[in-house]
Amino acid sequence: MRTSNHLIGVLNFLTFLLSVPILGGGIWLSSRANNTDCLKFLQWPLIIIGVSIMVVSLAGFAGACYRNTFLMRLYLVVMFVVIAVLIGFIIFAYVVTDKGSGRRVMNQAYLEYYLEDYSGWLEERVASDSYWGKIGSCIRDSRVCAKMGRTINGVPETAEMFYVRHLTPIQSGCCKPPTECGYVYQNETVWNLGSGLMGANADCTRWSNDQEQLCYACNSCKAGVLASLKKSWRKVSVINIVVMILLVIVYIVAYAAYRNNKRMDNDEPYGEARMTKAQPSAFHL
């Protein structure tokens, strides 16, 4: 077996290994979709891309081992398409999670979230009635708010302690009313009306001390889900970008090795320019 074939086999093995972080990222997002973010469609493209890279790299490895030209061509063509799809997906993920962030509140460590700070395709999808009913039920069933309770030496957490906590976006948006509403802290998920005027935010009237309601119908809860999704996707996107760069490098080297194999199969001396032939052949894989 030629050295080029060994190189192509090694490169396909590396490609197989590079598919693991992508597939792992999709599985991680899937676990968060079931327990935290509650949005269950964004992880599937990553899982499909990861599995595709695994299958294609195995085909390329077999093609290199058995010197099967068809499998090598299939590997190069399909891997090019997969890399293009991965690049498109990374761009898409950044575009749909580009807008929106939490707002700081005076004398509080956690951020608060407002739906009007978000816009675009993802915001419209999350805020739509057809999707939000499922997402809200998922958050309620995950009991993320019920798990917020803390005691210090058997004593319930005080308001001063609560205000210095770093809440997750979903805890901040779904488990308590917005600060501007003027509610008074009783415990993590029970807030009573204050003596002052209630804020103009529509979420002020949506808040309920009913533990099955809380602020699950609030726009702040929807914004919290969007903020949580943005945080999750940015983490995964960093891994995807690194893997994508490595895949492109591996693909270029594999293509060069494949062309070198073809040149040796055609008994062409290394470095011979095709344009020096009387009738140059057309470009092909």
Side-chain angles (χ1 to χ4, degrees), residues 108-129:
Q108 295 178 9
Y110 52 78
L111 303 178
E112 294 196 339
Y113 302 87
Y114 293 81
L115 191 60
E116 56 265 29
D117 293 341
Y118 297 83
S119 62
W121 175 83
L122 189 59
E123 182 272 333
E124 293 174 358
R125 196 171 185 88
V126 169
S128 66
D129 293 338

Side-chain angles (χ1 to χ4, degrees), residues 211-264:
Q211 299 301 294
E212 294 298 314
Q213 300 296 325
L214 298 179
C215 220
Y216 297 133
C218 298
N219 285 335
S220 63
C221 191
K222 298 174 183 178
V225 169
L226 289 168
S228 183
L229 283 170
K230 179 177 180 178
K231 186 176 181 180
S232 299
W233 272 91
R234 289 301 169 88
K235 289 180 180 179
V236 173
S237 292
V238 171
I239 298 174
N240 289 344
I241 290 172
V242 173
V243 172
M244 181 267 294
I245 293 172
L246 294 175
L247 279 177
V248 170
I249 294 172
V250 168
Y251 181 86
I252 292 173
V253 176
Y255 180 77
Y258 170 78
R259 295 292 293 173
N260 185 53
N261 260 5
K262 288 204 65 181
R263 184 166 45 246
M264 289 192 295

Side-chain angles (χ1 to χ4, degrees), residues 263-279:
R263 184 166 45 246
M264 289 192 295
D265 287 341
N266 294 333
D267 295 323
E268 298 175 18
Y270 181 80
E272 178 182 344
R274 289 183 177 271
M275 294 303 294
T276 60
K277 296 181 179 181
Q279 294 181 346

Side-chain angles (χ1 to χ4, degrees), residues 8 11-19 22 49-61 71-87 243-244 246-255 285:
I8 294 174
L11 290 174
N12 276 283
F13 179 71
L14 290 176
T15 303
F16 180 86
L17 293 180
L18 289 174
S19 69
I22 296 178
I49 291 172
V51 171
S52 299
I53 294 175
M54 277 188 172
V55 173
V56 173
S57 60
L58 289 175
F61 186 80
L71 286 178
M72 284 306 303
R73 287 179 176 174
L74 179 66
Y75 162 78
L76 291 171
V77 172
V78 177
M79 186 58 71
F80 178 83
V81 174
V82 170
I83 291 174
V85 171
L86 179 59
I87 292 173
V243 172
M244 181 267 294
L246 294 175
L247 279 177
V248 170
I249 294 172
V250 168
Y251 181 86
I252 292 173
V253 176
Y255 180 77
L285 288 174

Side-chain angles (χ1 to χ4, degrees), residues 139-182:
I139 296 173
R140 186 184 300 107
D141 294 341
S142 71
R143 300 188 61 77
V144 63
C145 296
K147 297 173 184 176
M148 286 177 60
R150 285 184 180 179
T151 57
I152 309 298
N153 296 324
V155 179
E157 184 176 43
T158 65
E160 290 74 17
M161 295 175 181
F162 181 80
Y163 292 144
V164 297
R165 285 179 62 175
H166 294 276
L167 304 179
T168 67
I170 290 179
Q171 287 175 334
S172 176
C174 305
C175 304
K176 66 172 192 61
T179 299
E180 65 184 277
C181 296

